[in-house]
Amino acid sequence: EAPIRKICCIGAGYVGGPTCSILALKCPDIQVTVVDRNELRINQWNSEKLPIFEPGLEEIVKQCRGKNLFFSTDMVPALKEADLIFISVNTPTKTFGLGKGRAADLKFVESCARLIAEVCDRSKIIVEKSTVPVRSAASIVNVLKANTKPGVSYQVLSNPEFLAEGTAVNDLTNPDRVLIGGEESDEGRKAIDALSWVYHHWVPAEKIIKMNTWSSELSKLAANAFLAQRISSINAISAVCEATGADVSEVAKAIGLDSRLGPKFLQASVGWGGSCFQKDILNLVYISESLNLTSVAAYWQQVIDMNEYQKTRFGQRIVQAMFNTITDKHIAILGFAFKKNTGDTRESPAIYVAKHLLEEGACLHIFDPKVERAQILLDLDQSDEKTGVTIHEDPYEAAKGTHALVICTEWDQFSTYDYQRMYDSMLKPAFVFDGRKILNHSALSEIGFHVETIGKRPGESFQAQNWGGANNV
Ligand code: NAD
Ligand code: UDX
């Protein structure tokens, strides 16, 4: 008999939405209901225009919605009916109180546990999908136990999500691994087996890794810390390149060919962003400090500090190259999302760069293929477009009449634009600051642009040979 027939997921965000859509697609025998208290978001999931842009997702939602995939604000019946409940709510950095600015705020996770205990009258499996500090499952168990109705019991599992935005459909369909952590008891093992049965609908058994709860929780924080650390490391090397004449693309290629290191996540950039890296490393730093592991905390803090340094360096370089003043100069920012193929701007380095340029008195012309106008204004604390920020729907309009182009996101289409056309419409000398190393710098120099990029000395970019894809390590 099927151990799980109905699943409820609390949180219809970047994780809950795509994860449950794939789950519904791959498990026609399971009914999946995603609930959220945000009515607008639920309405969007039920509409033609989904609340998030994720390549390939729309088709899947359309295929499953109304069949075995439902989005609802009516949480209580969905929770009561479910055999298994995913908690997939946001766990942001605390903004006040103990651990402010570093610790993860578990108030949403806790309120889910309280609601479950209050309304459910039969035993269930509760799965912690949100990224949480190590030992959070123990807190969930505590809250559940203290409020559970008579005769009801819960098994709490840790099942962190490793999808990256922009590639979520593929990451969920072909995951490198699925972690399931649970209690080391008969009941615990039974719950682990039930969740593993769900994944086994499409994930091969050898990729479903069972472990103890704390290892599973910590593995998620550790994985994000390692990934961000690689980018911070190559970004640190990019500063050395700029000071010496080495080229960070060449160095990254050389490093990545070592099979022990591998080529991925070595792309030097204006800095890493996104909703996860900063929050999760801060969380790891906070946990380490709380455990009196001060050297460990200081070590991981450096990964964040290096990222701040990189963003600052890039902003300063723009001002310095443009004769130390950008007051009243017009600058086009191409790309506002934190990475390509998403409309998400959380912790986007573009926000930092734009704010820096605004502080220096520049007028900004911003274009991004997917980010909504209102989101850009919100991120820049602007109430309207009168105060130095104009948002464009066309990259050529954004470039027109400006002194400089600043690339902040690695959208593929940016490398296919007609830069001659942009150059002709710009003020001279015309500058390009490529914060993502995606453009053909020698071609731009030939057009007449002054090109500056990460990890290469200014002015030398056009001397180097363009070896195509090799720039995109
Ligand atoms: P999100 O902000 O996009 O979505 C969270 C949703 O939960 C929101 O819609 C919110 O309204 C809802 N919510 C919060 N409290 C609720 C409550 N008590 N009842 C009902 N709904 C509630 O967040 P996200 O990006 O999906 O991230 C969710 C979790 O997954 C976080 O812990 C995050 O660290 C982790 N994660 C995110 C990613 C990613 O790429 N975004 C990847 C892996 C893991
Ligand atoms: C990350 C993790 O990759 C994912 O496993 C986890 O579940 C959530 O956090 P995400 O933040 O969506 O995913 O995107 P990711 O591809 O990791 O990129 C993060 C940031 O690093 C982006 O700003 C990206 O542009 C930047 N980056 C990435 C670089 O600057 N250089 C690189 O080589 C790779």
Side-chain angles (χ1 to χ4, degrees), residues 425-455:
S425 75
M426 290 172 66
L427 300 172
K428 310 297 174 333
F431 293 82
V432 171
F433 299 92
D434 185 355
R436 292 294 189 162
K437 303 179 70 63
I438 51 166
L439 302 184
N440 181 336
H441 300 141
S442 52
L444 290 173
S445 301
E446 260 163 45
I447 291 173
F449 280 108
H450 176 88
V451 183
E452 304 235 355
T453 192
I454 306 283

Side-chain angles (χ1 to χ4, degrees), residues 158-445:
S158 158
N159 171 225
E161 184 47 60
F162 291 96
L163 70 82
E165 289 175 28
T167 53
V169 170
N170 185 50
D171 296 342
L172 287 163
T173 313
N174 307 299
D176 288 342
R177 76 306 206 186
V178 168
L179 299 192
I180 305 179
E183 207 180 273
E184 286 162 42
S185 63
D186 285 347
E187 284 305 302
R189 275 184 284 274
K190 213 173 133 202
I192 293 177
D193 287 344
L195 181 58
S196 135
W197 171 85
V198 172
Y199 279 106
H200 198 38
H201 280 71
W202 78 99
V203 181
E206 67 272 16
K207 287 192 173 180
I208 303 175
I209 318 288
K210 302 171 185 177
M211 55 178 70
N212 92 33
T213 314
W214 324 129
S215 308
S216 171
E217 290 177 334
L218 183 57
S219 297
K220 174 66 198 175
L221 295 181
N224 271 352
F226 271 61
L227 288 167
Q229 183 222 46
R230 264 176 85 97
I231 311 170
S232 279
S233 296
I234 197 69
N235 282 344
I237 296 298
S238 80
V240 180
C241 289
E242 287 163 38
T244 55
D247 178 340
V248 77
S249 295
E250 296 182 339
V251 177
K253 186 179 184 189
I255 295 172
L257 284 170
D258 186 322
S259 59
R260 294 168 301 176
L261 291 168
K264 293 181 183 165
F265 267 67
L266 283 178
Q267 174 76 34
S269 67
V270 46
W272 42 260
S275 65
C276 292
F277 283 174
Q278 170 116 340
K279 155 175 92 65
D280 294 348
I281 299 173
L282 284 171
N283 187 350
L284 184 59
V285 169
Y286 183 72
I287 294 169
S288 307
E289 263 176 23
S290 307
L291 298 170
N292 258 332
L293 305 171
T294 39
S295 299
V296 179
Y299 176 76
W300 290 111
Q301 179 64 42
Q302 272 299 312
V303 173
I304 294 175
D305 294 348
M306 183 52 64
N307 198 46
E308 294 301 312
Y309 172 72
Q310 188 75 350
K311 291 187 284 187
T312 308
R313 247 165 35 81
F314 187 67
Q316 287 172 349
R317 195 163 157 195
I318 295 172
V319 180
Q320 279 160 9
M322 295 176 78
F323 320 112
N324 265 328
T325 176
I326 55 168
T327 310
D328 295 330
K329 286 183 181 165
H330 289 256
I331 298 180
I333 294 193
L334 299 185
F336 206 75
F338 82 94
K339 65 185 283 199
K340 73 175 179 181
N341 295 335
T342 178
D344 194 353
T345 62
R346 291 179 289 176
E347 302 294 338
S348 177
I351 300 174
Y352 176 89
V353 172
K355 283 189 173 168
H356 178 81
L357 300 179
L358 283 173
E359 271 164 28
E360 292 276 345
C363 302
L364 301 183
H365 298 264
I366 302 175
F367 167 76
D368 185 281
K370 282 292 170 196
V371 180
E372 307 276 350
R373 173 180 298 257
Q375 185 63 48
I376 298 179
L377 292 174
L378 186 73
D379 287 335
L380 297 179
D381 312 315
Q382 310 275 319
S383 50
D384 52 41
E385 290 183 49
K386 289 189 200 110
T387 44
V389 178
T390 313
I391 295 152
H392 295 264
E393 308 217 321
D394 177 87
Y396 299 99
E397 283 303 313
K400 198 188 255 172
T402 63
H403 298 259
L405 308 176
V406 179
I407 309 286
C408 285
T409 311
E410 73 281 24
W411 285 100
D412 288 340
Q413 55 263 53
F414 288 179
S415 53
T416 64
Y417 289 163
D418 181 351
Y419 284 94
Q420 181 69 55
R421 180 175 158 203
M422 288 195 187
Y423 181 80
D424 292 342
S425 75
M426 290 172 66
L427 300 172
K428 310 297 174 333
F431 293 82
V432 171
F433 299 92
D434 185 355
R436 292 294 189 162
K437 303 179 70 63
I438 51 166
L439 302 184
N440 181 336
H441 300 141
S442 52
L444 290 173
S445 301

Side-chain angles (χ1 to χ4, degrees), residues 23-61:
L23 218 119
L25 180 74
K26 301 292 184 184
C27 310
D29 53 333
I30 299 178
Q31 180 183 313
V32 185
T33 307
V34 190
V35 295
D36 202 297
R37 58 175 178 195
N38 181 336
E39 199 174 339
L40 174 68
R41 246 190 178 176
I42 290 296
N43 289 343
Q44 288 172 321
W45 280 110
N46 282 320
S47 76
E48 287 297 298
K49 190 170 185 293
L50 303 185
I52 63 172
F53 169 70
E54 194 57 59
L57 184 63
E58 206 177 279
E59 293 75 5
I60 296 170
V61 171

